[in-house]
Amino acid sequence: MSPNFVLFLTVVTLVIVIGVPSGNTGVKASGSLWRETIDRFFESLKVSIGAEQSPKKTSRMKRQSPDIGDESTNSYEIRTSSLPTLSDGRTVNTRYMPTLGNGYLGTTVYSDSVYLNGLFNGVGSASHRARIPAIISTRINLTTPDFERRATRKFTLNAQDGFYSEFIKCEFADIEHKIYVHQKFIRLYVVDIFVRMNPATLGGGTISMAYPTWNTSEDIVFDAPRQYRGNWQVRGLTRENEAGGKGGQEVNIFYMLPLRQISISGSNREANYTMIMSIDRSEANARQEFDSAQQILQASSPAKGNYDLFMQHVTEWRNTWDRGRVEVEGADIQLNKIVRFSQFYILGSLPAESPALAPIFSDPFYGCGRTSIGRGGVVGKDYQGHVMWDNEVYIMPAVLPFHPGMAKNQLRYRSATMTAAAQNAARLGCPGIHFPWRSGFTGVELSPDAQPSGPPPANCTGGARGSRVFVTAAVLWAIRQYISLTRDRDFMINPIYKGCDLSREAAKFLAALAQKSPADSRYDINGITGPDELHPNISNDIFTMCGVALGLHWERYFTCLCQRSEDERYLYDIAMQLRIPFDYTKRIHYQFKGFDPAIDRPIKQADAVMLIYPLNWNYSYDIMKNDLDLYEPLNEEETPALTWSWYTIGWKWVKETTKMRSYFLKSYQTYLIQPFKIWTEYKERSAADQDIGNVNFLPGMGGFLQSIIYGFAGIRIRPDMLEVNNPMPPPGADRLLLHRFQYLQSNLTFIIEAQRTTIQVVSVAALYPLILRRNQTSAVEESLKTGETIVINNPWDGFFIYTTVAETCPHPWDFTFMPYGYGPWPEELVPTPATYTAQFGPIWAIIAIVIVFSIGACAVYCVRYRRRQDTLEIKAPTFAEAQRNQEERNGKSDKK
């Protein structure tokens, strides 16, 4: 009996046993019943066996207690009586202090530095954020050791209102010292000091403050300060140009003279002082915001100047939270805080959404670095503030559904640096644009190990020469996510963003880099380095190849959206014929061509696991699970936190709940430093570890938040729909809330509980009316209306939200030609549990499952036996053939 005949018999048996599903078969099914039943059987068997066996003793690193130092029960507040210190036990360790910022300015609490968006000093790989002296940054000291010894101090970080404060209670006064970077007046760094005499004291007392001086920067040469309306201004130039040419960047500072002492005695029983500094490249803009703040501070009664200035900042932060956020509710208050403060640190490094004075056209947002805008001023530390692919892959997706304007500004950095990206592609002899591994103000490559040597080859034939091609593919992926969620026409055509040009030129580079093999007409990309940097200069890295395929398919679709007439059919042909490292017998993806799990270990990142998410690659669940099983033991333990978030999403997607929970805890518990919820890049157990990793690690936070949004909430952003699959709260939470999730300019709030999901329709855009469709054969389309609430009980099968507005552009195909059985099961052959029981009853349904499973297993075995990897030749249809086939299918559908 031939394998083809057995396979045909299997399909016929399925159709006979299952019958044709009733209703609209266009709704995506959640999985076949036989597969689901078998999976559940073995899962229950595994649980029962595990319950009978005694727990196995394993060595495990002792985790830091999540409750150390935090005395507040509010999810948006951290309050502590002690600060992280150096080995002397007295000096504050600013490495573990919180950062404050608004995307334009940033600082670390109690540090002597402020950083300005895009202000760098140093040539090439030595380029780093230029340190601006924090002229008004201070610690408050009591005048006598006795006062200091008997005083109590409380330190508070408030994420809801965006400030840090120190409250000192001593014998003669109550003192509050508040620090914030203004969210409305984005050029302002503000310090408030309030002192009130203790009624029981007789003699009063004095507090003192010390400050950095204005000329203490190694990165900036300052002119002599000049007086300005009773205050001061100073101008400076960075010492070195990033690209190596002459002329540094200008910076202008307006500031109030710092107060050195405050005395409280006699009738002078209360004092309130506010100090500000305003920083910008433009002298006019720095002056304007300094003057605005002065007018508020000097306003006559009944206005309270310092309070009004502070409340404008607070109002803007609260508006930011109200625009959208992730929130969890439950008994684990520390989990609630980690979710809130992870968002706080990321939002503080992204552009404020409603500034009083927006930056000028020529001063864009210069991307989000790995360790926030409040760090990066030391060569060799904190990635020196450089922008990497984390900007698009780890950070942007965490804010995109709630703050699409911030995501838009992150992408603008790439359009602003297209000239440098074109030069980067030219070094490889390729057309188009290729974005660097690390970049700063100019967009040139700043990584010393990413510069190709020697003259470029002609026609892009020399391979990637070790380059990280996946960075450019990641930018295309980010554009895809942004447009799929927003349909933002302004981003496409506005010369500020240049979305259409950005996508086209990136796709042009990726297509040129793919080289066609004369042996089998498949395309290879040689000499690349994937996300797993332990294996450089390889061929056909799996993440890169799938990312390139998605990018090329996307550009063909996006060209139509951009209303351009270019013939992009060649992109389809390349995308369909890219060679994917895949073992057809074992049904697993390999990291790259020639990968040997026994030799090529360990790996730093599991590139194959990232196909599940963030790429959302279309392939069967059994392959997903095989990949997870293969790479889980190969991944080195000393890997950044972000790696485990992708495992969390992967295990959730294949419904391995035990491993999902384990990796979720692993993704954050050992990477947090208390009390301020500071994320580290690696696990820091000792002082020696501080010389290796970096802190306030935003990609770790972004990956963690994505494991909640796109893992537990089950969100998938597709070009044609918003897909929600098997939503559930994360471990330690009773409810997961996605407040004001923005989709196609509409506003939805998802409330996810264990047994139900509630959708609150805040608003629906008139331009894109929305439809809800539950993932059930008998489901009908439900129009979403502003103000209504929809409850979906037992939402494990998921649901879809899409618009009724039809598109004339064909959606991207999103796959590479692979053998039968690689992709998900055809929808026509996927029954639901209700279909089985309604037609045959529960007993016959089980018998039918066993029969189909047996015949199917025989067919798959025969097909695999015949299709050996070394003799397999696959030929994808040409674009014209594929288009003709699609038209024929559409014609048949219309006739029906």
Side-chain angles (χ1 to χ4, degrees):
M1 186 181 297
S2 70
N4 285 338
F5 179 76
V6 175
L7 194 61
F8 169 76
L9 181 61
T10 302
V11 174
V12 171
T13 306
L14 279 168
V15 174
I16 294 174
V17 173
I18 298 168
V20 179
S22 60
N24 191 324
T25 58
V27 180
K28 293 186 177 181
S30 60
S32 59
L33 179 60
W34 68 266
R35 184 180 188 82
E36 191 172 291
T37 305
I38 296 299
D39 285 348
R40 288 178 179 173
F41 169 75
F42 282 110
E43 185 65 31
S44 62
L45 183 63
K46 193 185 305 179
V47 171
S48 63
I49 293 174
E52 294 173 4
Q53 294 177 344
S54 59
K56 185 178 180 180
K57 293 183 179 181
T58 58
S59 59
R60 189 174 188 178
M61 189 186 72
K62 184 179 179 181
R63 290 201 193 99
Q64 182 177 353
S65 170
D67 300 313
I68 291 177
D70 190 355
E71 304 166 7
S72 175
T73 57
N74 293 323
S75 64
Y76 58 82
E77 180 186 69
I78 294 170
R79 187 170 62 248
T80 181
S81 300
S82 59
L83 297 176
T85 60
L86 298 177
S87 57
D88 62 8
R90 297 185 303 274
T91 307
V92 174
N93 187 353
T94 55
R95 178 179 178 83
Y96 299 139
M97 292 299 290
T99 55
L100 303 172
N102 56 27
Y104 201 70
L105 286 184
T107 189
T108 298
V109 170
Y110 297 148
S111 77
D112 59 0
S113 306
V114 183
Y115 299 101
L116 175 65
N117 172 48
L119 190 72
F120 285 82
N121 180 60
V123 178
S125 60
S127 174
H128 57 280
R129 290 197 191 276
R131 177 184 164 273
I132 302 169
I135 302 171
I136 58 176
S137 175
T138 186
R139 287 292 313 271
I140 291 178
N141 299 305
L142 304 179
T143 51
T144 69
D146 287 341
F147 282 159
E148 188 67 57
R149 186 173 60 254
R150 291 192 289 266
T152 59
R153 294 178 183 249
K154 294 286 185 181
F155 311 93
T156 301
L157 180 63
N158 189 305
Q160 177 175 272
D161 298 339
F163 71 90
Y164 173 90
S165 69
E166 178 180 3
F167 183 80
I168 307 169
K169 190 174 186 62
C170 65
E171 294 179 10
F172 66 88
D174 294 337
I175 307 162
E176 184 180 14
H177 177 206
K178 188 182 300 174
I179 305 169
Y180 59 98
V181 178
H182 213 286
Q183 191 75 358
K184 187 72 175 178
F185 300 103
I186 58 174
R187 295 158 184 86
L188 296 186
Y189 175 37
V190 187
V191 173
D192 278 338
I193 300 176
F194 176 73
V195 185
R196 175 177 291 166
M197 183 184 289
N198 189 332
T201 190
L202 298 176
T206 301
I207 62 174
S208 63
M209 292 79 71
Y211 305 88
T213 57
W214 60 269
N215 61 349
T216 55
S217 175
E218 304 82 5
D219 301 320
I220 303 171
V221 178
F222 287 105
D223 299 335
R226 309 190 305 271
Q227 282 202 334
Y228 173 74
R229 297 181 180 179
N231 296 292
W232 296 87
Q233 74 174 96
V234 63
R235 174 185 175 274
L237 286 174
T238 56
R239 296 178 183 273
E240 296 178 310
N241 187 300
E242 185 176 84
K246 293 184 178 180
Q249 296 177 259
E250 181 176 336
V251 60
N252 290 273
I253 307 172
F254 288 77
Y255 63 98
M256 300 171 66
L257 195 65
L259 197 65
R260 301 286 176 178
Q261 260 189 1
I262 300 176
S263 296
I264 296 292
S265 61
S267 60
N268 184 24
R269 306 185 66 84
E270 190 174 289
N272 199 340
Y273 296 95
T274 296
M275 294 173 285
I276 59 174
M277 58 186 296
S278 179
I279 308 169
D280 201 304
R281 290 180 184 79
S282 164
E283 180 180 347
N285 287 351
R287 178 188 293 111
Q288 182 174 337
E289 292 220 333
F290 186 80
D291 290 346
S292 297
Q294 287 283 51
Q295 291 174 7
I296 295 172
L297 291 173
Q298 296 169 6
S300 57
S301 183
K304 297 179 180 178
N306 54 350
Y307 177 77
D308 290 345
L309 183 65
F310 174 64
M311 286 310 299
Q312 288 195 45
H313 163 77
V314 168
T315 299
E316 192 51 46
W317 256 112
R318 292 187 178 183
N319 289 341
T320 299
W321 290 115
D322 288 344
R323 290 186 188 102
R325 67 184 184 275
V326 186
E327 191 173 343
V328 296
E329 296 177 355
D332 190 349
I333 184 63
Q334 290 302 318
L335 176 61
N336 302 353
K337 291 192 176 191
I338 294 166
V339 171
R340 176 61 72 103
F341 280 90
S342 294
Q343 294 173 86
F344 171 72
Y345 289 127
I346 290 177
L347 292 174
S349 291
L350 296 175
E353 294 175 294
S354 299
L357 178 63
I360 59 177
F361 169 80
S362 60
D363 191 16
F365 175 65
Y366 287 94
C368 188
R370 280 188 159 184
T371 57
S372 90
I373 196 172
R375 306 185 68 91
V378 179
V379 175
K381 295 287 186 181
D382 300 317
Y383 293 96
Q384 299 164 212
H386 295 163
V387 177
M388 304 173 74
W389 77 313
D390 313 85
N391 182 65
E392 287 81 20
V393 173
Y394 290 98
I395 299 169
M396 193 194 92
V399 299
L400 172 59
F402 312 102
H403 306 278
M406 291 183 176
K408 188 176 182 179
N409 273 302
Q410 288 180 269
L411 290 173
R412 186 191 172 190
Y413 171 70
R414 298 303 186 179
S415 63
T417 56
M418 283 179 65
T419 300
Q423 296 170 356
N424 204 29
R427 291 191 186 95
L428 298 175
C430 302
I433 56 177
H434 174 39
F435 292 102
W437 176 231
R438 294 171 65 162
S439 59
F441 174 68
T442 61
V444 301
E445 178 62 78
L446 299 178
S447 177
D449 63 348
Q451 298 281 8
S453 59
N459 302 321
C460 205
T461 56
R465 304 168 76 190
S467 181
R468 293 171 170 88
V469 175
F470 66 87
V471 177
T472 300
V475 173
L476 262 178
W477 177 84
I479 295 172
R480 168 197 174 103
Q481 297 298 94
Y482 178 77
I483 293 296
S484 298
L485 199 71
T486 65
R487 296 289 193 276
D488 184 357
R489 186 75 186 163
D490 179 66
F491 174 79
M492 299 183 198
I493 62 176
N494 191 323
I496 294 178
Y497 303 102
K498 296 183 270 193
C500 291
D501 294 339
L502 187 64
S503 179
R504 180 188 61 191
E505 295 302 309
K508 188 183 296 183
F509 166 77
L510 297 176
L513 201 60
Q515 298 296 309
K516 190 173 185 177
S517 169
D520 58 3
S521 299
R522 301 300 290 242
Y523 286 85
D524 300 290
I525 303 180
N526 300 313
I528 54 181
T529 299
D532 175 24
E533 56 194 37
L534 295 183
H535 298 92
N537 206 11
I538 56 176
S539 295
N540 298 348
D541 168 69
I542 183 65
F543 178 85
T544 303
M545 299 301 280
C546 294
V548 169
L550 289 177
L552 298 184
H553 280 309
W554 166 258
E555 173 53 24
R556 187 177 65 84
Y557 165 64
F558 199 44
T559 296
C560 178
L561 287 185
C562 293
Q563 299 177 358
R564 288 179 165 173
S565 58
E566 289 100 329
D567 186 359
E568 303 286 10
R569 287 178 295 180
Y570 78 100
L571 298 178
Y572 162 85
D573 293 329
I574 296 173
M576 291 297 292
Q577 292 283 12
L578 284 170
R579 194 188 309 277
I580 303 298
F582 181 68
D583 188 315
Y584 301 115
T585 303
K586 297 179 180 178
R587 292 179 64 77
I588 55 175
H589 290 106
Y590 285 132
Q591 243 354 37
F592 50 85
K593 180 182 178 181
F595 178 82
D596 186 339
I599 299 174
D600 299 311
R601 56 192 306 167
I603 59 174
K604 190 165 186 177
Q605 288 198 48
D607 296 5
V609 172
M610 295 169 70
L611 269 58
I612 304 174
Y613 184 85
L615 290 187
N616 297 330
W617 188 247
N618 290 317
Y619 61 112
S620 294
Y621 288 103
D622 71 307
I623 305 175
M624 295 182 188
K625 188 175 184 306
N626 292 342
D627 288 349
L628 288 163
D629 287 333
L630 173 64
Y631 291 105
E632 180 184 35
L634 301 184
N635 232 120
E636 64 176 5
E637 279 297 316
E638 295 303 318
T639 192
L642 48 86
T643 301
W644 309 127
S645 295
W646 299 155
Y647 276 96
T648 301
I649 298 175
W651 288 119
K652 194 266 184 180
W653 198 244
V654 300
K655 300 181 180 179
E656 287 271 5
T657 56
T658 302
K659 288 191 173 183
M660 170 197 74
R661 294 172 184 274
S662 173
Y663 275 97
F664 179 66
L665 297 175
K666 188 175 184 178
S667 72
Y668 72 90
Q669 284 190 337
T670 55
Y671 296 91
L672 278 174
I673 300 295
Q674 304 294 348
F676 296 113
K677 311 295 183 284
I678 301 296
W679 284 69
T680 60
E681 182 179 11
Y682 299 100
K683 302 167 186 175
E684 298 197 358
R685 309 176 185 86
S686 65
D689 293 335
Q690 299 180 21
D691 296 328
I692 301 173
N694 303 279
V695 293
N696 214 7
F697 191 59
L698 299 185
M701 304 179 202
F704 166 75
L705 292 172
Q706 288 187 66
S707 73
I708 294 175
I709 302 167
Y710 306 102
F712 292 101
I715 300 291
R716 286 291 185 275
I717 300 172
R718 307 285 190 188
D720 56 341
M721 69 176 67
L722 190 70
E723 177 185 341
V724 183
N725 183 280
N726 190 23
M728 64 177 67
D734 300 322
R735 298 207 307 172
L736 166 59
L737 297 91
L738 306 181
H739 286 280
R740 294 179 175 267
F741 189 106
Q742 297 187 40
Y743 178 60
L744 299 184
Q745 304 169 31
S746 295
N747 224 303
L748 310 171
T749 292
F750 296 94
I751 304 173
I752 298 169
E753 299 169 280
Q755 302 295 327
R756 66 180 179 182
T757 294
T758 303
I759 306 173
Q760 296 176 350
V761 185
V762 181
S763 65
V764 175
L767 189 61
Y768 296 105
L770 294 182
I771 294 292
L772 169 71
R773 182 86 186 229
R774 304 170 199 236
N775 189 20
Q776 298 168 355
T777 305
S778 59
V780 297
E781 294 184 335
E782 305 172 49
S783 296
L784 298 183
K785 298 179 176 61
T786 299
E788 73 174 335
T789 298
I790 299 173
V791 178
I792 302 176
N793 291 313
N794 304 324
W796 306 302
D797 290 335
F799 53 90
F800 314 98
I801 297 173
Y802 48 92
T803 182
T804 57
V805 177
E807 277 190 358
T808 57
C809 299
H811 288 106
W813 291 34
D814 287 354
F815 61 89
T816 289
F817 194 80
M818 297 292 281
Y820 177 83
Y822 178 85
W825 284 86
E827 293 170 351
E828 295 81 4
L829 302 181
V830 180
T832 63
T835 307
Y836 271 125
T837 53
Q839 293 184 3
F840 303 106
I843 301 299
W844 285 106
I846 295 173
I847 295 173
I849 291 169
V850 173
I851 294 173
V852 172
F853 178 82
S854 302
I855 297 175
C858 177
V860 170
Y861 174 81
C862 294
V863 171
R864 287 182 184 173
Y865 183 81
R866 191 186 69 170
R867 292 182 176 177
R868 294 186 179 276
Q869 187 174 359
D870 54 353
T871 60
L872 185 65
E873 293 185 2
I874 301 169
K875 179 69 175 176
T878 64
F879 180 84
E881 292 170 344
Q883 196 170 37
R884 186 165 59 252
N885 294 339
Q886 183 65 40
E887 289 172 356
E888 290 177 359
R889 285 193 293 270
N890 292 342
K892 292 178 181 179
S893 177
D894 293 340
K895 289 179 182 179
K896 290 181 181 180

